[in-house]
Amino acid sequence: MEKKSVPSLVKDQQLINKRRQQIIKGAVRLFIEKGFHRTTTREIAKESGFSIGTLYEYIGTKEDVLYLVCDAIYDEVTERLKKQLHTTGSAINRLEEAIRAYFLVIDSMQDEVLVMYQETKSLPKETLPYVLKKETEMVAMMEEILADCKKEEALDLTEKEMKLITHNILVAGQMWTFRRWAIRRHFTLEEYINLQIKNLIHN
């Protein structure tokens, strides 16, 4: 499943990226407040600081905006996890840094993450498999680092235990967004990350 090509009438890629970031930020605020289906493209344009005509120079449909939100999150997480796959140091340290990097991305894009998991079901059938494939790739990268920990005998895990820990890591990161109204009354981000690393891989 290939990456969707979102249509644009503009040829300057740098300008496209800049405008689409504005569109994502504006749309996310509306999607959280009103939901995807109740938000109109005219409202997205206004929230992004554009006319409706300008908006359609950078996207084709409202569904394109939701796709861009999901793709931006996965691209950022994937980029940070890849750095931990190709750095030196012990596998357990790389795993800790990968978890930390993942949680920091979730924190910096918390509204986008909330929208993604609430509204993924609204993606068109042709783009949903691509988004799900990106999540599978993210899981595989974390599993690869866990496998290195097993090779170095830093962790003694079965294949099923590695898969479960990987999903636990992803859910723990997402919980910082979904349960933020409760969790942040008790923990700073740094405290939360350190405690989760301890509970996930050092117990």
Side-chain angles (χ1 to χ4, degrees), residues 20-173:
R20 284 181 174 171
Q21 282 302 312
Q22 291 175 258
I23 292 167
I24 287 170
K25 291 294 184 186
V28 162
R29 287 191 290 269
L30 291 167
F31 293 163
I32 289 174
E33 179 186 343
K34 302 181 64 174
F36 174 77
H37 290 293
R38 292 178 58 221
T39 298
T40 67
T41 50
R42 191 170 296 280
E43 289 171 327
I44 293 172
K46 183 179 179 181
E47 190 72 17
S48 305
F50 307 141
S51 68
I52 188 70
T54 300
L55 180 76
Y56 279 114
E57 291 179 2
Y58 297 96
I59 62 162
T61 66
K62 185 171 71 168
E63 286 74 16
D64 285 342
V65 179
L66 183 57
Y67 171 82
L68 289 171
V69 170
C70 297
D71 203 41
I73 294 166
Y74 285 127
D75 281 350
E76 186 65 27
V77 171
T78 299
E79 182 181 339
R80 296 205 194 185
L81 289 183
K82 278 181 178 176
K83 288 180 182 177
Q84 298 309 318
L85 286 174
H86 304 295
T87 55
T88 56
S90 69
I92 196 72
N93 285 341
R94 288 189 291 114
L95 177 60
E96 289 179 4
E97 289 306 310
I99 294 171
R100 185 176 301 279
Y102 169 65
F103 280 31
L104 289 172
V105 172
I106 295 296
D107 179 66
S108 67
M109 304 182 76
Q110 55 194 268
D111 287 342
E112 290 91 334
V113 171
L114 189 62
V115 166
M116 181 178 72
Y117 283 101
Q118 286 178 340
E119 302 292 355
T120 297
K121 61 185 182 299
S122 301
L123 285 167
K125 286 190 294 184
E126 65 271 18
T127 57
L128 183 58
Y130 170 78
V131 170
L132 297 178
K133 178 174 176 284
K134 295 279 279 189
E135 173 126 347
T136 301
E137 290 172 357
M138 193 167 67
V139 168
M141 283 189 286
M142 198 69 81
E143 282 183 356
E144 187 176 338
I145 302 174
L146 275 165
D148 288 343
C149 291
K150 182 177 180 179
K151 286 178 189 174
E152 294 181 8
E153 299 183 347
L155 296 174
D156 183 18
L157 301 169
T158 65
E159 291 296 319
K160 286 192 174 181
E161 284 172 334
M162 280 196 288
K163 287 189 179 298
L164 184 58
I165 288 175
T166 299
H167 286 285
N168 283 345
I169 290 169
L170 298 183
V171 171

Side-chain angles (χ1 to χ4, degrees), residues 170-200:
L170 298 183
V171 171
Q174 294 156 9
M175 187 166 68
W176 181 251
T177 289
F178 299 145
R179 299 280 302 171
R180 60 189 178 188
W181 59 271
I183 292 173
R184 294 177 192 203
R185 286 185 290 180
H186 304 288
F187 307 102
T188 65
L189 176 60
E190 188 64 22
E191 288 171 337
Y192 182 78
I193 292 172
N194 290 336
L195 283 169
Q196 287 291 7
I197 288 173
K198 179 182 177 182
N199 290 333
L200 288 162

